[in-house]
Amino acid sequence: MNKAASRFAFVSSDTADAKAALESLSARYGQAPIEDAEIVVALGGDGFLLQTLRDTMSTGKKIYGMNRGTIGFLMNEYRASGLTGRIAAAVAETIRPLEMQAVTAEGETISALAINEVALWRQSYQTAKIRITVDGQVRLEELNCDGVMVATPAGSTAYNLSAHGPILPLDAPLLALTPVSPFRPRRWRGALLSDKATVRFDILEPEKRPVNAAADHTEVKAVTSVTVQESPTVTATLLFDPSHSWNERILAEQFRY
């Protein structure tokens, strides 16, 4: 294995295309153990890339994704040739996950990190009733809804976009606060918040209208309150080809119809 190749660790999702790419690329460029690699090349879709980011957060490793999945909004185009040069020319984007502190009906506090979003949603057939406080000030006394979320720029094209939330540039110092099927106030479409904001959700009538919360894939059932803020210390780094940068993708997505 040459010196350039030893920098790379290739990882893949379980799909046939991703596994085939893993075999081809590791044979071509070499395969370093993840703990020794400078660059982790993730082969799959957006979900697998986010899992790779979660697994390597705050290790200093840079993640370069190549699309072997379906949508691949966060991924670079898959090409087997010229990988060393592409990675050398790639643009780095540092992202910070959200920290969730969820208090359950039993009084337990559960903490988790989310790269995409922290989301709350109703657990029963009845709408949830949620009070929203931002930086210690109540901004919405009662939101009747199916759910509500705080999304990062990296997560703004996922669940947040499906709920008609805004798409955020990756370097925007913002968080998206987005309701899911709001019933009252019906016209409320959410808010853009500073990435320094602390958001607290208090569940009203938690026994009658139970609510679950999730930080990406970490789910907490029957919460009574959830506090969300951007992590001041934990980071992850994504690499993008300069010809197809994240910000260009964000701009192009907003002009699709």
Side-chain angles (χ1 to χ4, degrees), residues 20-245:
L22 172 63
E23 183 177 352
S24 172
L25 292 172
S26 58
R28 185 168 187 165
Y29 296 98
Q31 174 73 299
I34 289 181
E35 58 270 20
D36 297 334
E38 178 185 347
I39 309 293
V40 177
V41 180
L43 305 164
D46 287 343
F48 181 72
L49 177 67
L50 291 170
Q51 181 59 55
T52 305
L53 284 171
R54 281 189 287 273
D55 293 343
T56 58
M57 279 192 294
S58 290
T59 63
K61 300 185 188 306
K62 298 174 182 179
I63 311 301
Y64 183 85
M66 285 203 290
N67 188 21
R68 293 282 83 186
T70 305
I71 298 175
F73 200 90
L74 293 167
M75 311 297 278
N76 298 293
E77 180 186 354
Y78 179 77
R79 292 199 308 274
S81 62
L83 182 60
T84 302
R86 288 176 70 187
I87 289 177
V91 177
E93 296 281 2
T94 299
I95 61 176
R96 293 183 181 275
L98 299 173
E99 295 179 344
M100 176 185 78
Q101 298 277 337
V103 179
T104 70
E106 289 76 28
E108 183 182 6
T109 300
I110 298 175
S111 302
L113 294 174
I115 292 174
N116 263 4
E117 75 280 317
V118 172
L120 289 73
W121 65 94
R122 64 186 175 95
Q123 189 177 330
S124 71
Y125 68 93
Q126 291 184 302
T127 60
K129 289 187 176 182
I130 302 172
R131 177 187 301 120
I132 301 177
T133 303
V134 180
D135 292 334
Q137 182 174 348
V138 175
R139 292 293 182 179
L140 202 54
E141 283 285 357
E142 184 177 303
L143 172 65
N144 290 15
C145 59
D146 282 353
V148 65
M149 76 189 80
V150 178
T152 66
S156 67
T157 58
Y159 186 19
N160 173 75
L161 182 58
S162 297
H164 307 291
I167 302 175
L168 303 177
L170 201 60
D171 56 358
L174 297 170
L175 301 173
L177 175 61
T178 302
V180 180
S181 301
F183 180 65
R184 289 195 183 94
R186 190 179 298 274
R187 294 184 181 277
W188 189 65
R189 291 294 179 261
L192 290 175
L193 305 176
S194 164
D195 60 1
K196 303 298 187 294
T198 298
V199 183
R200 178 184 170 102
F201 301 105
D202 287 291
I203 311 308
L204 309 179
E205 304 179 28
E207 293 183 2
K208 181 181 179 182
R209 303 169 184 270
V211 170
N212 293 349
D216 286 350
H217 300 299
T218 302
E219 183 176 352
V220 183
K221 295 184 179 297
V223 298
T224 56
S225 70
V226 175
T227 302
V228 183
Q229 64 179 6
E230 186 181 78
S231 174
T233 57
V234 180
T235 62
T237 302
L238 275 171
L239 296 175
F240 294 102
D241 290 336
S243 60
H244 197 41
S245 69

